[in-house]
Amino acid sequence: MLQIPALEKLVHELNRLPGIGPKTAQRLAYYILRSPEEYSHRLAEALMRVQSDVHTCPRCYNYTDVEICRFCSDVHRQDDSLCVVEEPADIVRIEASGAFHGRYHVLHGTISPLEGIGPQDLKIQELISKVNKGLSGEGTVIKEVIMALDADLEGDTTVLYLTKQLANKGVKLSRIA
């Protein structure tokens, strides 16, 4: 125990971040404590600003600070190809390759029964609706759905579920990992 309640609270909150264990949380807390007070204020301001200014795009569910994200508002992107990803960070990696020029759909997770995450907890119904709108003539006809989910148990489970949901929709289903 650190015996300093404010420092213990900071370590506890940092430890709650994904990929940050107790030792890293403690190192970060001490780094912040050693830093000039101005740094702490800028860090706190950046955290508050991202919470207030960033939201999900209503079309693809990517993070954005404008009404519609830059991928959805780009008229040069292919409307008939849709890449399904787990998280917004996945879009950054795919865009870095420069190989994909279609649209995106962010699920915000994968199916994980052990963590209590089912299809209803993800943006799966929105994906199916997007494909159905094209079939009904209400939107762009999507010809291909590319599933770019990790090749782990949760990613494979999600791909299998999506494949079953989209099997009779007349779209080509592809998988990249």
Side-chain angles (χ1 to χ4, degrees):
M1 286 296 225
L2 300 172
Q3 306 271 331
I4 303 170
L7 192 54
E8 286 181 10
K9 173 80 170 149
L10 179 58
V11 169
H12 174 74
E13 293 304 322
L14 291 170
N15 190 38
R16 294 179 58 196
L17 293 170
I20 304 292
K23 287 182 181 180
T24 301
Q26 190 173 27
R27 280 194 300 270
L28 287 170
Y30 279 109
Y31 174 81
I32 292 168
L33 192 60
R34 284 190 309 270
S35 298
E37 190 174 338
E38 179 184 319
Y39 173 78
S40 298
H41 287 284
R42 286 195 321 265
L43 179 60
E45 181 183 327
L47 288 168
M48 296 307 293
R49 184 139 193 214
V50 78
Q51 286 290 309
S52 67
D53 292 356
V54 177
H55 61 277
T56 56
C57 174
R59 293 186 187 169
C60 71
Y61 307 101
N62 186 23
Y63 290 133
T64 184
D65 61 351
V66 292
E67 185 177 345
I68 303 294
C69 79
R70 70 181 182 98
F71 301 111
C72 289
S73 60
D74 184 349
V75 297
H76 301 294
R77 297 194 78 88
Q78 299 167 343
D79 290 330
D80 62 350
S81 180
L82 187 64
C83 184
V84 178
V85 296
E86 180 180 343
E87 297 294 340
D90 299 328
I91 294 175
V92 175
R93 288 191 287 277
I94 293 169
E95 284 296 303
S97 75
F100 182 70
H101 303 288
R103 302 290 179 184
Y104 290 99
H105 183 88
V106 183
L107 295 174
H108 286 275
T110 52
I111 297 171
S112 179
L114 292 176
E115 294 179 30
I117 301 170
Q120 71 282 356
D121 300 311
L122 308 174
K123 300 290 183 191
I124 291 175
Q125 202 52 49
E126 293 83 348
L127 171 65
I128 294 166
S129 177
K130 208 178 281 188
V131 172
N132 285 340
K133 283 183 179 178
L135 293 174
S136 68
E138 296 175 32
T140 302
V141 175
I142 297 170
K143 295 179 182 173
E144 181 177 21
V145 174
I146 302 163
M147 293 178 243
L149 303 173
D150 288 339
D152 56 16
L153 181 62
E154 292 83 5
D156 291 344
T157 301
T158 305
V159 167
L160 181 61
Y161 182 84
L162 291 174
T163 300
K164 288 180 180 179
Q165 297 299 310
L166 298 172
N168 297 321
K169 304 293 183 188
V171 295
K172 178 181 175 186
L173 301 174
S174 304
R175 168 99 191 253
I176 58 171

